[in-house]
Amino acid sequence: MTSTSAPQELIALGCRILAFRGLAADILGHISLRRDDGALYVRCRGPHERGLLLTEPSDVHPIPLDSEPAPPDGYRAPNELPIHREILRARPDVEAVVHVHPPHVVAADLAGLPLRPIVGAYDIPAMRMALDGIPVYPRAVLVTRADLGQEVVAALADRPVAILRGHGIVATGDSVQQAVVRALSVESLAIMTLRSAAGPTLPSPLPPQDIAELPDLGGGFNDTLVWKSHVAALEHAGLGL
């Protein structure tokens, strides 16, 4: 997926969307985007930190992929930078990484409720991610070292999203837009999982004949249009850039 927006603006918008939709409380969470020169753009905390909901493009800075981060004075790279670095090193198919703390995903996992393909047309991308399996990294630690980042990579494997137990998620994509929308879809599925678990029995996964009827609507629909709708909602709420 391509975009005419500057990387800093895309990351700032992505952070605002995730916070506005309840996936990133206060200052916790970050998005990165691969650069062509062996570096990555990532949201950093700065001298005027106001949380993800009010992220500005000026909070996004290039960080080397393989050497000591050196953001401008007053800014600090995320403590969990190894999440981004190790995924981008290991997965050449990934251009963007989201790390946030969606509460319903965390709650469902802690309750022992796996995210299964229980919804269909309600959220087809979520169904497909669940159908293929959403892996879980079983340690509730801050991923502040390369070896821990590599453990996350091993848990993620070739999947687009992984749950970090008692912590949050990582979501990947070929763009900031796709990674953000995938994070939103996983939280949406977790909400339905928790709500449906309140009944006397857990819902069954979709039958194969129903899955076969659900089309892949493509990135232009699943990612681009959904992203634009969230940007529009930000603007409507007075939170656009």
Side-chain angles (χ1 to χ4, degrees), residues 120-186:
Y122 178 79
D123 191 327
I124 296 174
M127 182 278 296
R128 294 203 182 283
M129 283 190 284
L131 182 67
D132 292 336
I134 298 175
V136 178
Y137 174 59
R139 303 185 67 187
V141 298
L142 280 177
V143 185
T144 58
R145 303 192 310 267
D147 62 310
L148 295 174
Q150 290 158 13
E151 290 179 0
V152 172
V153 168
L156 177 66
D158 63 350
R159 304 298 303 124
V161 174
I163 298 168
L164 312 183
R165 178 153 294 154
H167 184 174
I169 65 168
V170 292
T172 67
D174 61 16
S175 66
V176 170
Q177 297 96 316
Q178 186 178 67
V180 166
V181 171
R182 282 174 168 172
L184 294 168
S185 283
V186 172

Side-chain angles (χ1 to χ4, degrees), residues 42-87:
V42 69
R43 185 200 191 274
C44 299
R45 295 197 182 104
H48 308 293
E49 178 63 53
R50 297 186 294 165
L52 264 70
L53 185 60
L54 297 175
T55 299
E56 298 287 348
S58 59
D59 296 322
V60 179
H61 298 282
I63 299 293
L65 192 59
D66 296 307
S67 60
E68 190 66 23
D73 287 345
Y75 285 91
R76 179 179 175 181
N79 292 329
E80 293 187 297
L81 183 63
I83 290 176
H84 303 271
R85 281 179 156 176
E86 298 307 321
I87 290 175

Side-chain angles (χ1 to χ4, degrees), residues 4-20:
T4 57
S5 298
Q8 294 91 333
E9 181 179 336
L10 283 174
I11 290 174
L13 283 171
C15 289
R16 288 184 176 221
I17 289 168
L18 291 168
F20 187 60

Side-chain angles (χ1 to χ4, degrees), residues 1 124-125 128 178 181 215-226:
M1 182 186 304
I124 296 174
R128 294 203 182 283
Q178 186 178 67
V181 171
D216 181 353
L217 298 174
F221 185 92
N222 291 332
D223 302 324
T224 304
L225 291 182
V226 174

Side-chain angles (χ1 to χ4, degrees), residues 177-204:
Q177 297 96 316
Q178 186 178 67
V180 166
V181 171
R182 282 174 168 172
L184 294 168
S185 283
V186 172
E187 175 72 343
S188 172
L189 178 58
I191 291 169
M192 296 308 296
T193 297
L194 287 167
R195 288 177 177 172
S196 62
T201 59
L202 293 177
S204 299

